[in-house]
C-alpha cells in the first residue's frame, strides 16, 4: 500500500528520477515506467495503462543495427512528433477537416478542445491509448483474451481490426488512417504476448498459428523483444526521448504548446475538464465525460512544465 501525500509532480521530483536517468543510474525503460506510475498510469486500469512510444520505423529490413552511429535514415521514429503528425498528408487532411468543421458549426468549439470545453479545437478524435487498444495488443494472453471477448459481446472482434503483425500495425499508425495508438511496455519486455500459446482461433488466416507476424529482422518473439529493448536503450532514443515525454507527460500535452505541436485531443480526454463549472454542476454531463474518458482515452497527469532534457548528442550510453 502506497500513500501519496503530495501531488505527483512533487513526488516525482523528490525521487530525483530524471537526475538518475541522466546519470545513467536508471535505464530508459525503468525511467518511462516511473513516469507512467507517477502520471497515474497503472497495469490495474486498462483505460490508463502505461504508454510507451513506437521507437523503430524499419520493419522491412532483413537486419538492423540499433546502435549504428549515426543511425541510418528511416531506422527510428521521429520522437519529436505525435503519432498523428508523422504522416504529413494525414496531418494536412486533419487540419483541413478541422477548419471546415469550425466554419460550418459554431458549436464545434464546445465539443472539442485541448483542455476545457470552450478552448482551442482538437485534431484527433481517437487517442493514443485506450482499454480497447490494450486488449487488442494483449489478446493472446489471459485474462486479456476473456476481457476482449466480453467487451465484444462474447466474441472476438473482426479479424481486420485485430493485432496481427508488427509491420502492419506500424503501417497503420504512420499512414493516412485514423490510427494514433502508441505501444505498451510489453513490446519491450514480454515475448509471450506475441505468441498464441492457447491456440485461440482469431480468424487470422495469414498468420501461422495466429501468432503475431514479426519483422524480418526478428527470428522469433524473444529476439524481437531483445532488439526493440536495445533500440529503446540506444543513443538515439536517449538523445530524443525527452521530446516524446514533452508530448505525453510534459508541457506540450495542453495549452498553446499542444496546439503548436499538433497534439490536441477531445476535451473529455483531459482530467482538467472535470474542474470546469459546466461539468461540476451537471451530473449527467459528468457521467458522460467519465464514460467517454474510460472508453476513448485519458491524458496522463502532467509531470513536466518545461522542456524535458535529452542526453547530449555526443554522449554514449
Amino acid at each position: 500500500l502506497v500513500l501519496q501525500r503530495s501531488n505527483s509532480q512533487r513526488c516525482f521530483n523528490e525521487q530525483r528520477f530524471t537526475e538518475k536517468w541522466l546519470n545513467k543510474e536508471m535505464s530508459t525503460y525503468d525511467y518511462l515506467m516511473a513516469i507512467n506510475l507517477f502520471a497515474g498510469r497503472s497495469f490495474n486500469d486498462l483505460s490508463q495503462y502505461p504508454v510507451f512510444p513506437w521507437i523503430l520505423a524499419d520493419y522491412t529490413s532483413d537486419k538492423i543495427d540499433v546502435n549504428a552511429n549515426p543511425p541510418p535514415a528511416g531506422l527510428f521514429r521521429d520522437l519529436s512528433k505525435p503519432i498523428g503528425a508523422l504522416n504529413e498528408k494525414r496531418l494536412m487532411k486533419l487540419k483541413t477537416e478541422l477548419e471546415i468543421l469550425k466554419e460550418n458549426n459554431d458549436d464545434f468549439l464546445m465539443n472539442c478542445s485541448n483542455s476545457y470545453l470552450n478552448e482551442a479545437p482538437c485534431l484527433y478524435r481517437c487517442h493514443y491509448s485506450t482499454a480497447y487498444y490494450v486488449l487488442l495488443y494483449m489478446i493472446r494472453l489471459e485474462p486479456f483474451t476473456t476481457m476482449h471477448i466480453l467487451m465484444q459481446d462474447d466474441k472476438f472482434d473482426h479479424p481486420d481490426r485485430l493485432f496481427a503483425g508488427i509491420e502492419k500495425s506500424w503501417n497503420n499508425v504512420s499512414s493516412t488512417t485514423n490510427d494514433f495508438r502508441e505501444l505498451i511496455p510489453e513490446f519491450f519486455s514480454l515475448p509471450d504476448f506475441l505468441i498464441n500459446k492457447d491456440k485461440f482461433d482469431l480468424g487470422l488466416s495469414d498468420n501461422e498459428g495466429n501468432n503475431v507476424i514479426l519483422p524480418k529482422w526478428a527470428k522469433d518473439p524473444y529476439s524481437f523483444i531483445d532488439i526493440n529493448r536495445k533500440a529503446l536503450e540506444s543513443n538515439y532514443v536517449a538523445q530524443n526521448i525527452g521530446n516524446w515525454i514533452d508530448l505525453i507527460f510534459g508541457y506540450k500535452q495542453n495549452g498553446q504548446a499542444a496546439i503548436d505541436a499538433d497534439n490536441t485531443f477531445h476535451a473529455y480526454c483531459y482530467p482538467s475538464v472535470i474542474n470546469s463549472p459546466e461539468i461540476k454542476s451537471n451530473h449527467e454531463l459528468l457521467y458522460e465525460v467519465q464514460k467517454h474518458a474510460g472508453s476513448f482515452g485519458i491524458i496522463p497527469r502532467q509531470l513536466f512544465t518545461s522542456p524535458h532534457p535529452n542526453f547530449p548528442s555526443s554522449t554514449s550510453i
Side-chain angles (χ1 to χ4, degrees):
L1 178 65
V2 176
L3 178 62
Q4 183 175 319
R5 294 183 177 274
S6 56
N7 67 50
S8 296
Q9 186 177 9
R10 182 181 302 172
C11 287
F12 183 86
N13 291 334
E14 287 174 351
Q15 295 297 318
R16 300 173 37 251
F17 287 119
T18 303
E19 180 182 342
K20 291 176 182 177
W21 177 69
L22 290 170
N23 290 334
K24 306 176 188 177
E25 298 172 21
M26 291 183 72
S27 67
T28 300
Y29 177 90
D30 289 338
Y31 183 53
L32 290 179
M33 282 303 307
I35 290 175
N36 271 280
L37 174 64
F38 281 88
R41 314 300 285 191
S42 170
F43 288 106
N44 297 319
D45 184 351
L46 292 176
S47 67
Q48 298 191 81
Y49 207 77
V51 55
F52 270 56
W54 282 94
I55 296 296
L56 294 168
D58 183 352
Y59 296 100
T60 59
S61 296
D62 293 330
K63 293 182 180 181
I64 60 173
D65 181 2
V66 298
N67 292 314
N69 190 19
L75 177 59
F76 289 100
R77 167 257 183 104
D78 186 346
L79 288 164
S80 69
K81 298 178 180 180
I83 284 289
L86 291 180
N87 186 293
E88 190 66 24
K89 182 178 179 180
R90 174 175 61 186
L91 180 61
M92 291 301 102
K93 181 174 181 288
L94 289 169
K95 288 185 174 182
T96 300
E97 291 174 347
L98 182 58
E99 290 304 315
I100 293 174
L101 283 170
K102 290 166 62 177
E103 292 174 1
N104 295 338
N105 187 355
D106 292 338
D107 295 328
F108 180 70
L109 291 177
M110 292 298 294
N111 298 322
C112 183
S113 78
N114 73 303
S115 182
Y116 297 102
L117 293 180
N118 58 349
E119 292 186 359
C122 68
L123 280 174
Y124 314 118
R125 305 291 288 184
C126 301
H127 204 254
Y128 50 78
S129 176
T130 69
Y132 175 69
Y133 294 161
V134 174
L135 293 178
L136 284 182
Y137 281 145
M138 299 292 285
I139 195 172
R140 293 164 179 82
L141 282 183
E142 288 288 15
F144 302 96
T145 311
T146 298
M147 295 167 73
H148 170 87
I149 292 172
L150 292 174
M151 178 180 281
Q152 295 299 130
D153 296 325
D154 296 328
K155 62 182 183 298
F156 286 116
D157 200 354
H158 193 281
D160 289 344
R161 289 189 288 269
L162 298 184
F163 174 44
I166 305 296
E167 180 184 353
K168 179 182 178 181
S169 294
W170 168 251
N171 289 341
N172 283 342
V173 302
S174 60
S175 67
T176 57
T177 65
N178 288 326
D179 188 344
F180 313 115
R181 74 191 77 176
E182 291 279 11
L183 301 183
I184 55 177
E186 285 80 0
F187 276 80
F188 307 91
S189 59
L190 185 68
D192 302 71
F193 88 102
L194 302 168
I195 308 168
N196 187 20
K197 291 182 178 179
D198 291 323
K199 308 300 181 184
F200 296 115
D201 183 4
L202 304 178
L204 301 172
S205 57
D206 295 335
N207 297 37
E208 182 179 352
N210 280 196
N211 297 320
V212 175
I213 297 176
L214 303 173
K216 296 178 181 178
W217 45 257
K219 296 182 298 182
D220 53 43
Y222 300 92
S223 65
F224 172 80
I225 296 297
D226 180 59
I227 294 171
N228 210 33
R229 179 67 170 265
K230 287 177 179 176
L232 181 65
E233 304 298 340
S234 67
N235 287 330
Y236 173 86
V237 172
Q239 293 158 8
N240 292 275
I241 191 66
N243 301 322
W244 182 83
I245 292 172
D246 288 338
L247 294 167
I248 309 300
F249 303 99
Y251 80 106
K252 289 184 179 180
Q253 72 164 214
N254 55 61
Q256 187 60 47
I259 297 172
D260 294 341
D262 299 319
N263 191 42
T264 54
F265 297 85
H266 192 283
Y268 292 177
C269 296
Y270 293 81
S272 55
V273 75
I274 299 294
N275 296 321
S276 69
E278 298 94 329
I279 301 297
K280 280 188 172 181
S281 61
N282 188 326
H283 293 296
E284 290 185 4
L285 185 55
L286 176 61
Y287 174 73
E288 179 184 338
V289 170
Q290 293 172 329
K291 185 177 179 181
H292 183 283
S295 299
F296 298 106
I298 300 172
I299 301 296
R301 297 174 195 154
Q302 184 179 6
L303 291 184
F304 308 96
T305 56
S306 59
H308 190 283
N310 289 303
F311 276 76
S313 58
S314 59
T315 301
S316 178
I317 307 304

